[in-house]
């Protein structure tokens, strides 16, 4: 999860955090990043889209948390 204080919204902080995580994950040998976020959380979904995540199509229902959406980003070769 990525949390940014509201006074820092729309300044690129969230995108910078996600992109730094992607770079670190690549160095560690990971090939995919994934995140679940609220279906109605347009701000978070826009952040993840800008960073390169795409919907996987997976859905689930979590009691009290609504309907999260699963997003993935391929960052390496899946056949490695």
């Amino acid at each position: 999860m990525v949390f940014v204080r509201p006074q820092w919204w729309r300044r690129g902080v969230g995108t910078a955090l996600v992109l730094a995580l992607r770079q670190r994950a690549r160095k560690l040998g990971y090939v995919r990043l994934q995140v679940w976020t609220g279906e109605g959380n347009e701000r978070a979904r826009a952040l993840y889209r800008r960073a390169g995540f795409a919907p996987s199509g997976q859905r689930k229902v979590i009691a009290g948390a609504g309907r999260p959406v699963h997003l993935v980003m391929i960052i390496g070769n899946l056949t490695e």
Side-chain angles (χ1 to χ4, degrees):
M1 295 174 138
V2 174
F3 296 95
V4 175
R5 290 180 178 263
Q7 64 264 31
W8 291 97
W9 287 353
R10 306 296 307 160
R11 296 185 187 197
V13 174
T15 301
L17 289 169
V18 173
L19 295 178
L21 173 64
R22 180 180 71 184
Q23 182 179 18
R24 181 71 174 143
R26 276 186 184 155
K27 285 182 181 178
L28 292 173
Y30 289 92
V31 297
R32 179 179 76 162
L33 297 177
Q34 60 182 338
V35 65
W36 289 90
T37 193
E39 184 175 52
N41 190 344
E42 288 302 321
R43 183 179 302 276
R45 291 176 67 185
L47 162 67
Y48 294 126
R49 274 193 305 272
R50 283 192 306 274
F53 283 86
S56 72
Q58 290 184 5
R59 300 257 180 177
K60 64 169 72 172
V61 176
I62 299 174
R67 296 180 49 86
V69 176
H70 186 242
L71 306 167
V72 296
M73 179 194 318
I74 304 304
I75 60 170
N77 186 347
L78 291 175
T79 61
E80 292 177 352

